[in-house]
């Protein structure tokens, strides 16, 4: 925030300045303060329709209530985080809060209070700014600075949850009795109010429950994930169209191009875009994106648009910068493609979660043995995990509001679990030959390939939500040619 945008406080000595009664805003004359309280229209909105996910968030809260009967449950959205001095990172509500409310207000808190057989939900929010005491124009959270908020009555209509002023909540929590659990890590003020009432172990059970609850996506969520994939596909097309500009500048041109699509069509990018050209493709999470983009090399682009309701895609394509794979690039690409095909085929209801990983790894091990990089038999390679020198990471993960969704789930419910319809996961095998890897022929060094798609488990198999983007090598080349005109 530029200095000239800080609240203006008159300095001239001759101006009669009196302290505001509440003492909060020295330097504001009573005349100005009085003037600012009046002349504003009533903008209260009435008869608002509930947000699309309201029935789904209600069902999620009902399931949560059933899991923790008789306990007060506290789920904060989180607060703004300082970037530097008085500037903050863009706010992103906690996944747990957004999942249970559909709301994304900073400082919001959902409380489920034991009530009869179940719970009564209340969402605690910062209300509209007070115009009587100057807060709306003189406080950093005032609406003239940060924009209009919903009134509590409006929020109630939109979310389908009774809303109260969050400034009353810490006191209420401090005074409350009975068992409490809270989601930690988002709101230090709320945690301080609960400090002698919660335990790390019991809070962790709440976090684990909310992580596992998100594994099977409902209809609304599947629609959002499809939207995220469709926007991401358009973002990838944008990138292909400007590859010549990236060649003239750097990987940052790709990052910026994709970001534009993410901000225009969605809320944001779901994670730092990996725009890895040439040997950078062998760094798994290359997000510095400050390197050159050269014809003849590959570009590994791993990026995802996050929708307005906070569901993200996670898609990777590895593209020849000049539009054509050379022979070796294509050989490696085809191996990863076949591996991905085997992985995707293993995604179906009733399959073990780990099956797709094993299927994909087997193909890569076979190719590495064929190419003479590993000594067979393949069974031995797989048993010892020797292929991992070049495959490096797991073949996928759950996807949803978090790119690595359901991360707090128990092992038995996730990696040792069974796939069910409605689960969504990435299938993303890769081969990475580091530039300094002396165990591979020189021409392999600096080549990295990953192909990543977002796969929904259906009743009878799976659906590739990111199928709009071609994967097979010929199709990739044809698609790039069509976009470059
Ligand atoms: N983009 C991070 C991942 O693929 O898991
Ligand atoms: Mn991924
Ligand atoms: Mn990815």
């Amino acid at each position: 925030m530029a200095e000239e945008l800080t609240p203006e406080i008159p300095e001239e000595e001759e101006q009669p300045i009196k302290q505001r009664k509440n003492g909060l805003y020295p330097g504001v004359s009573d005349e100005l303060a009085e003037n600012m309280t009046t002349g504003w229209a009533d903008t209260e909105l009435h008869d608002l329709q509930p947000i699309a996910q309201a029935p789904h968030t209600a069902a999620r809260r009902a399931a949560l209530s059933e899991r923790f009967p008789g306990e007060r449950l506290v789920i904060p959205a989180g607060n703004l985080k300082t970037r530097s001095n008085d500037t903050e990172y863009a706010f992103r509500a906690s996944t747990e809060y957004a999942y249970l409310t559909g709301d994304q207000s900073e400082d919001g808190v959902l409380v489920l209070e034991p009530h009869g057989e179940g719970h009564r939900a209340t969402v605690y929010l910062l209300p509209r700014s007070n115009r009587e005491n100057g807060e709306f124009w003189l406080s950093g959270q005032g609406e003239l600075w940060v924009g209009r908020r919903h009134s509590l009555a409006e929020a109630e209509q939109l979310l389908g949850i009774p809303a109260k002023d969050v400034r009353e909540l810490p006191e209420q929590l401090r005074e409350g009795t009975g068992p409490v659990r809270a989601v930690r890590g988002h709101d230090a003020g709320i945690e301080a109010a609960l400090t002698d009432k919660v335990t790390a172990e019991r809070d962790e059970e709440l976090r684990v429950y909310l992580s596992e609850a998100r594994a099977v996506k409902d209809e609304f969520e599947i629609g959002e994930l499809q939207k995220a994939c469709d926007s991401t596909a358009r973002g990838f097309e944008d990138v292909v169209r400007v590859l010549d500009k990236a060649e003239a500048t750097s990987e940052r041109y790709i990052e910026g191009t994709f970001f534009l699509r993410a901000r225009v069509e969605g809320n944001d990018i779901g994670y730092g875009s990996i725009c890895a050209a040439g040997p950078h493709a062998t760094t798994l999470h290359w997000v510095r994106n400050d390197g050159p983009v050269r014809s003849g090399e590959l570009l590994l682009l791993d990026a995802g648009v996050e929708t307005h309701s906070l569901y993200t895609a996670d898609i990777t394509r590895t593209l020849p910068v000049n539009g054509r794979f050379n022979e070796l690039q294509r050989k490696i690409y085809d191996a990863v493609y076949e591996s991905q095909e085997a992985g995707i085929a293993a995604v179906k209801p009733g399959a073990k979660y780990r099956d797709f990983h094993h299927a994909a790894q087997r193909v890569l091990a076979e190719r590495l043995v064929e190419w003479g990089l590993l000594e067979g038999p393949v069974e031995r390679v797989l048993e010892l995990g020797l292929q991992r020198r070049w495959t490096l990471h797991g073949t996928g993960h759950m996807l949803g509001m978090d790119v690595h969704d359901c991360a707090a789930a128990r092992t038995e419910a996730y990696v040792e679990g069974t796939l069910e319809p409605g689960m969504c996961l990435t299938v993303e095998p890769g081969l990475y030959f580091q530039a300094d890897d002396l165990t591979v022929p020189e021409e392999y060094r600096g080549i990295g390939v990953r192909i990543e798609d977002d796969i929904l488990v259906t009743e009878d198999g799976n659906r590739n939500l990111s199928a709009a983007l071609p994967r097979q090598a010929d199709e990739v080349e044809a698609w790039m040619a069509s976009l470059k005109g």
Side-chain angles (χ1 to χ4, degrees):
M1 201 180 284
E3 199 171 348
E4 65 267 23
L5 288 179
T6 49
E8 187 184 320
I9 296 174
E11 279 173 358
E12 304 86 55
E13 278 182 15
E14 62 270 23
Q15 184 155 355
I17 297 168
K18 292 186 190 147
Q19 197 96 341
R20 293 285 297 146
K21 279 196 207 77
N22 59 18
L24 279 179
Y25 310 116
V28 174
S29 69
D30 277 359
E31 288 73 8
L32 176 58
E34 181 61 28
N35 175 282
M36 288 296 281
T37 62
T38 58
W40 309 104
D42 176 3
T43 62
E44 181 74 10
L45 302 169
H46 302 279
D47 302 323
L48 295 174
Q49 291 303 306
I51 56 174
Q53 64 268 50
H56 299 285
T57 61
R60 296 168 198 163
R61 293 192 301 275
L64 173 63
S65 165
E66 207 167 305
R67 170 64 182 80
F68 296 103
E71 303 187 30
R72 179 180 298 125
L73 306 172
V74 180
I75 299 105
N79 321 120
L80 283 173
K81 293 186 178 65
T82 300
R83 179 173 184 273
S84 178
N85 186 29
D86 60 351
T87 58
E88 286 109 9
Y89 291 104
F91 180 72
R92 202 283 197 179
S94 76
T95 289
E96 294 91 344
Y97 174 83
Y99 175 74
L100 292 167
T101 63
D103 183 52
Q104 297 178 34
S105 304
E106 60 209 48
D107 305 320
V109 184
L110 173 69
V111 177
L112 264 60
E113 192 71 27
H115 180 71
E117 294 292 291
H119 288 80
R120 189 163 42 200
T122 305
V123 65
Y124 289 83
L125 299 167
L126 206 50
R128 300 224 39 216
S129 295
N130 186 324
R131 293 182 182 228
E132 297 299 315
N133 67 7
E135 175 200 341
F136 82 118
W137 68 290
L138 292 169
S139 149
Q141 285 182 314
E143 286 180 301
L144 288 200
W145 290 91
V146 300
R148 187 189 190 279
R149 285 186 283 272
H150 287 300
S151 70
L152 298 180
E154 291 167 358
E156 283 187 10
Q157 295 169 62
L158 290 166
L159 305 177
I161 309 172
K164 290 189 178 158
D165 189 333
V166 71
R167 291 170 297 191
E168 296 159 11
L169 183 59
E171 188 60 27
Q172 282 179 29
L173 292 176
R174 265 191 290 274
E175 286 173 0
T177 55
V180 188
R181 294 182 199 250
V183 174
R184 297 186 176 201
H186 303 305
D187 191 323
I190 295 297
E191 284 177 37
L194 289 170
T195 186
D196 55 351
K197 299 181 191 302
V198 292
T199 69
E201 194 183 10
R202 285 163 41 78
D203 286 356
E204 180 63 9
E205 285 171 2
L206 173 60
R207 191 172 81 100
V208 168
Y209 167 81
L210 288 171
S211 208
E212 293 179 5
R214 300 203 310 275
V216 173
K217 271 64 182 175
D218 61 37
E219 206 182 313
F220 174 83
E221 296 180 291
I222 292 168
E224 288 298 299
L225 285 164
Q226 184 65 68
K227 265 193 232 169
C229 287
D230 292 346
S231 279
T232 300
R234 288 188 282 275
F236 275 55
E237 289 173 2
D238 296 338
V239 166
V240 170
R241 287 195 192 93
V242 301
L243 276 178
D244 55 338
K245 295 200 175 69
E247 279 186 70
T249 52
S250 77
E251 294 164 337
R252 289 283 163 90
Y253 206 95
I254 293 163
E255 180 184 327
T257 300
F258 187 80
F259 185 63
L260 179 63
R261 180 66 70 168
R263 286 292 283 169
V264 169
E265 291 195 1
N267 176 57
D268 206 333
I269 47 174
Y271 54 93
S273 299
I274 298 167
C275 308
H280 290 157
T282 65
T283 300
L284 297 180
H285 284 171
W286 176 259
V287 291
R288 284 182 232 158
N289 301 337
D290 58 357
V293 177
R294 297 192 188 96
S295 176
E297 293 186 334
L298 297 175
L299 166 70
L300 185 156
L301 175 59
D302 181 345
V305 173
E306 177 185 76
T307 63
H308 293 293
S309 58
L310 307 184
Y311 289 82
T312 188
D314 179 11
I315 302 178
T316 306
R317 289 294 180 267
T318 305
L319 309 170
V321 172
N322 64 12
R324 300 296 291 255
F325 293 100
N326 70 28
E327 202 177 324
L328 179 61
Q329 288 167 347
R330 192 177 178 112
K331 178 173 100 166
I332 297 168
Y333 186 92
D334 284 349
V336 175
Y337 173 70
E338 285 168 43
S339 164
Q340 198 204 22
E341 285 280 273
I344 292 173
V347 175
K348 52 191 166 197
K352 299 304 289 178
Y353 174 82
R354 283 207 169 106
D355 289 354
F356 78 98
H357 172 66
H358 292 311
Q361 289 285 301
R362 172 171 291 278
V363 173
L364 295 176
E366 284 169 2
R367 294 297 168 274
L368 291 164
V369 169
E370 265 171 41
W371 300 340
L373 300 184
L374 285 173
E375 199 181 317
V378 169
E379 293 307 329
R380 176 181 164 275
V381 168
L382 288 169
E383 200 177 314
L384 299 177
L386 300 177
Q387 78 285 359
R388 291 173 58 184
R389 183 180 177 97
W390 301 294
T391 66
L392 291 181
H393 55 78
T395 306
H397 51 84
M398 295 287 188
L399 181 71
M401 299 182 88
D402 287 328
V403 61
H404 298 152
D405 211 31
C406 312
R410 291 162 304 156
T411 306
E412 60 265 38
Y414 189 169
V415 289
E416 287 175 2
T418 301
L419 297 181
E420 291 175 47
M423 289 179 170
C424 184
L425 48 139
T426 68
V427 179
E428 50 173 312
L431 280 175
Y432 311 91
F433 300 103
Q434 305 300 320
D436 58 352
D437 187 344
L438 302 179
T439 70
V440 297
E442 203 171 342
E443 63 269 24
Y444 283 63
R445 296 177 201 162
I447 296 181
V449 174
R450 176 163 68 252
I451 313 173
E452 175 172 28
D453 283 80
D454 301 342
I455 310 296
L456 175 72
V457 183
T458 59
E459 293 294 337
D460 55 359
N462 70 59
R463 187 161 87 235
N464 184 348
L465 301 181
S466 43
L469 287 170
R471 295 182 291 126
Q472 194 273 335
D474 288 334
E475 290 174 11
V476 168
E477 289 181 353
W479 169 75
M480 290 183 74
S482 74
L483 289 169
K484 286 169 152 190

